[in-house]
Each structure stands twice: as structure tokens, then as C-alpha cells.
Amino acid sequence: MAWLRGAVSLLPVVGPAVDATDAASQGDRVGAAIELCNVAWDLCSILGPGAGLRAGLLASKMGNHASRHAGKVAKRRFFSRATWRSSRRVLKWGLKKKLQRKVGGVALKVGVAAIALADEKAYMRCGASDHRQRPRLIAGTKRQVPAVPAAAAAAAAAAAEHEAHNTHKLGMHKFGAAAAAAAALAEHEAHNTHKLGMHKFVSRVRRAIFAAGHGIDTFTHLSSSESQLHAVLADSVYLPCDKRKGVVATVDPHQIQSGDDVCHAVWYAYVGGSKYRGFWYSAALCHLVLAERGTVGDADDLQRDALLALSLGRAAMSGRARDSAAELAEQARSHQCRRITATGHSLGGTVAAYVTCTSQQSTSPICSGHVFNPGGLPDCARSLSCLLASAEIVVHRIRGDKISVGFLPALQRLYNRRPGYEETDSHRMVHFLK
């Protein structure tokens, strides 16, 4: 069970040793090396400096005491009592130190995630503008430099030029609406520029552009056809096994190698799975997709979510990742695969990212993974494993989602909420669907 595996991970020395063995058996060499470092750290924290000398003195003292007792029974009884007392004392002290470090680490990671989330919310409130700049002051005085209309117009033009670089991602009518809103604001503020600092004027222009084009920064507008395919499959795996069906996907010309510039529709058939995962296969592309299911409310999922919240990621994912690797190898033997990819949402995205990293040494390596709002606190081992893996991992995240704010921040692609669902929780899968 997941909670028992988590309890083992909390034990000093034994927990990191089990995690290292688990990581090495699944092909996570970076994780195994980090866990071995944790083993050494636990030993140093329990025994402290000069541990070898103290252990030698303790052994000689026990030998002297044992030699004073006659008879084998007395020696056995003495050694058993001394060993039990020493082990209990060492275990108690080590567990106390381990829990103190774990609580401190979790508090630090939660703090980092909270700071990142607060900064993100400030960005969303201010629109597309950067952090507000402080007004420039005249040296030796506290009077603010008045802004001139020419400087304000130049700043507005610079802001419009900055936004023009993204026109290939926008519809022309939407960008025109944004530019019109900016022009209206500029005309309105032209009469009051003597009352505004330049930083305030530029900030207002940028917010107007952002407000007019707010709907264009969504997953549907910015993502590729392959990312949208994985989003559909990450949503389909939530269905029961008997209700899962195949999907029609639009693929880019370079994927099907048709020789033209026209996108093609390809059929992905559902070929099997379990309640935790599903597999879809395209015979035209020889492409196999593993989709991991997220949390639906059963006891096993809730236990794994609790372990992730306690920064026990390996204990939370180990069982599911091992089962996924076994089923993936079976599906790869049954189908001719040129490409194998993985996807998942929430807890499923966390598992899919872990399976993608650890499959590189197996007979069926995953070439890329698309995960959507994956859960988890910042983790050094996870970050190093994903960054050093040969597979590409793409983290799709909706702005404002609290659960995924600390998951591989260097690999995140951020999107706004789906139009019409602005009041829906950012963690929901609906923001990634059409």
C-alpha cells in the first residue's frame, strides 16, 4: 500500500536505502545517486563527527563488560539487551532528526511554491505588464519628473511594437481589437499626460492590449496538434475501461510524411489498459500513447496525493510507475511502434513524467511526454532526472493552478483559462479541451 511505502521512506538510513534500490531497479540513475547521498547524510546526522572512534570505544567497552560475565547464557542475554537498547536509542534519535529535516524541507518547498503563485497572481492582475517600475526622481529632491506627451507616445509605440512580435499567434481581428483599445486609451490619456508618470502610462497601454487579446493566450490557440491530441487522451482515460473509445486526431504533415503541407486526420484506436491507465495506438503512424489517469477520489489516489504533498514523490509513484512500465512493455511487444509517448493530468501527469524519465534504459523507451497540471512540490531529484533525460517532457499548465505551480517550473508552458470557463478551477482538464 502507498501509505506503508511512505512510512518506510521516512525511516532514517533504511528509507533512503529502499528508495535508492527502487530508483536503480526502475532505471533512475540520478535518483538512485541522490538517495545514496541521503543515506550518507542520515548516517552523519545520527552518528555525527567522530562516529568511527566512538563506535570503537563502545565495542571495547561492551567486550570488557561481556568478559566479566560467566557463561554463554549471560553473554547472550547481555549482548541482546545492549543491542536492543542501542538500536532503540539510535532509531529514536535518527527518526527525530529525519522528521525535523523533512518538516523543514516541506515548509521551504511550500514557501517557494506560494511565492511563485503570488507572483503569478500579481501578473494576472496587472495584465501583460511587467512589475511596476518606481517613478524616477530628480537627484536630491523628492519631486517626480513630469512626463511629456512625446515620451509617452514613444513608450506606447514601443509597447505596441513589442506586442506585434506575437501577431503570428493571434488572429488579425483580435490584434486589431487590441490595438484599437490601446489607441483609444492613448487618446483618452493624452489630455492628462502631465499628471501621469511614463511608467503609469505604459502600464495602462499594456493592460489595455492584454485585456483586448486575453482570449488568445489559451491552450487551444498556442498548442500544437500533438499537444492537443495528448490533452484529449489525458481526458479520455478518466472514463471507465468499457466506455473508452478511439479518437480522430489532426497531425502535422511532417509526422505522416505525406510530402504536402496539408494536415491529415489519423485514427487512434483504444487497445487496452486498466482503471489507472489506457493505451491508444495509430497504425498509420505506428504511434503508441500511454495515458495515465489522475485522481478520481478513491483511497489509493488520495494516499498518493498525500505523499506528494509531504514531498515523498518516489513513494507515491513507485507502485504505479512499475505497473505502467510492465503494461507498456507488453503493449510495445504487441504493436509495431516507431514512437511511444506518454500523457496524463494531475496525479497522472506526475506518474507519466516519472515513467518517461525512467524508461530510457528499457526495451520500450518513451520519446516524449505531455503532462497537464501535474501535481507535486519542487523536487531536486525530479528536476535533475527530467532535465538529464533524453526524452522531451512538456509541462502544460494553466495560470493560477496551485497544485502544479512547483512541478518542473523550468519546463512549464503557461496558458490562460478557456474562454467561457473563467470561473472554473484552473486545475480542471476542461481548460485544455476545445
Side-chain angles (χ1 to χ4, degrees):
M1 299 177 68
W3 67 268
L4 183 59
R5 178 66 176 80
V8 173
S9 296
L10 286 175
L11 294 177
V13 182
V14 177
V18 172
D19 290 341
T21 304
D22 195 4
S25 64
Q26 296 186 13
D28 187 5
R29 298 178 179 178
V30 177
I34 293 177
E35 295 300 339
L36 289 178
C37 294
N38 289 333
V39 172
W41 181 263
D42 285 350
L43 288 174
C44 293
S45 63
I46 294 173
L47 301 177
L53 178 61
R54 289 203 307 273
L57 294 176
L58 179 62
S60 62
K61 186 176 180 180
M62 291 176 61
N64 292 332
H65 280 288
S67 61
R68 296 174 185 175
H69 292 78
K72 296 181 179 180
V73 177
K75 290 182 180 180
R76 290 197 197 101
R77 187 178 301 171
F78 172 78
F79 276 111
S80 62
R81 289 180 179 177
T83 303
W84 167 247
R85 291 175 182 174
S86 300
S87 301
R88 186 175 59 181
R89 188 180 302 109
V90 169
L91 180 61
K92 183 179 178 180
W93 174 259
L95 185 59
K96 180 181 178 181
K97 290 291 184 181
K98 180 82 172 183
L99 290 177
Q100 288 178 350
R101 290 203 314 272
K102 179 61 68 175
V103 171
V106 171
L108 177 62
K109 293 178 180 179
V110 170
V112 171
I115 293 173
L117 186 63
D119 184 71
E120 188 174 85
K121 288 184 177 180
Y123 168 84
M124 294 172 65
R125 285 196 301 268
C126 296
S129 62
D130 297 329
H131 295 289
R132 296 185 178 182
Q133 301 177 355
R134 295 182 178 178
R136 299 178 61 184
L137 303 177
I138 298 177
T141 68
K142 295 184 179 181
R143 184 171 60 87
Q144 183 174 331
V145 177
V148 295
E161 182 180 359
H162 173 72
E163 297 295 335
H165 292 292
N166 297 324
T167 52
H168 65 282
K169 298 180 181 178
L170 311 180
M172 292 302 298
H173 64 287
K174 294 182 178 179
F175 184 78
L185 178 64
E187 182 179 359
H188 175 71
E189 296 294 343
H191 303 286
N192 301 320
T193 51
H194 64 283
K195 298 179 180 179
L196 296 174
M198 185 186 301
H199 68 288
K200 292 184 179 180
F201 183 76
V202 173
S203 179
R204 291 192 181 185
V205 171
R206 287 180 174 177
R207 283 202 298 272
I209 294 176
F210 179 79
H214 183 71
I216 49 92
D217 197 16
T218 60
F219 176 79
T220 304
H221 289 86
L222 299 182
S223 61
S224 62
S225 58
E226 182 170 356
S227 299
Q228 295 178 12
L229 164 66
H230 288 81
V232 172
L233 298 183
D235 181 66
S236 300
V237 76
Y238 278 98
L239 296 173
C241 295
D242 57 344
K243 294 184 178 180
R244 297 173 186 169
K245 300 179 181 179
V247 298
V248 178
T250 302
V251 297
D252 296 330
H254 72 275
Q255 294 183 3
I256 201 170
Q257 298 179 355
S258 58
D260 53 24
D261 295 333
V262 181
C263 294
H264 295 265
V266 178
W267 176 254
Y268 279 80
Y270 177 69
V271 294
S274 62
K275 68 175 184 177
Y276 293 113
R277 63 194 60 85
F279 294 90
W280 280 262
Y281 178 73
S282 171
L285 301 179
C286 297
H287 180 199
L288 179 66
V289 182
L290 161 66
E292 287 285 341
R293 192 203 71 184
T295 303
V296 295
D298 60 0
D300 186 70
D301 289 343
L302 295 178
Q303 291 176 18
R304 298 183 189 279
D305 289 340
L307 293 177
L308 284 175
L310 294 174
S311 190
L312 298 174
R314 195 175 305 281
M317 296 179 296
S318 177
R320 280 190 57 168
R322 196 179 299 276
D323 296 339
S324 296
E327 295 186 27
L328 178 61
E330 182 180 354
Q331 291 289 339
R333 286 193 298 266
S334 304
H335 301 88
Q336 182 181 0
C337 302
R338 285 201 299 263
R339 292 179 65 230
I340 302 177
T341 58
T343 185
H345 168 253
S346 189
L347 175 62
T350 307
V351 177
Y354 183 77
V355 174
T356 301
C357 293
T358 57
S359 67
Q360 304 308 305
Q361 307 298 327
S362 64
T363 57
S364 51
I366 298 175
C367 62
S368 65
H370 292 263
V371 295
F372 302 89
N373 285 345
L377 295 174
D379 192 325
C380 178
R382 180 198 298 132
S383 300
L384 290 177
S385 299
C386 293
L387 290 175
L388 297 178
S390 57
E392 179 187 12
I393 298 178
V394 183
V395 181
H396 304 278
R397 179 174 171 270
I398 302 298
R399 289 188 176 94
D401 180 35
K402 304 178 181 64
I403 297 177
S404 59
V405 65
F407 190 94
L408 299 178
L411 303 179
Q412 288 184 2
R413 297 182 183 179
L414 300 178
Y415 311 95
N416 291 329
R417 298 183 184 184
R418 178 180 173 182
Y421 294 85
E422 288 82 2
E423 300 301 325
T424 306
D425 184 16
S426 298
H427 191 65
R428 298 297 180 183
M429 192 66 200
V430 67
H431 299 290
F432 298 102
L433 303 176
K434 292 183 179 180

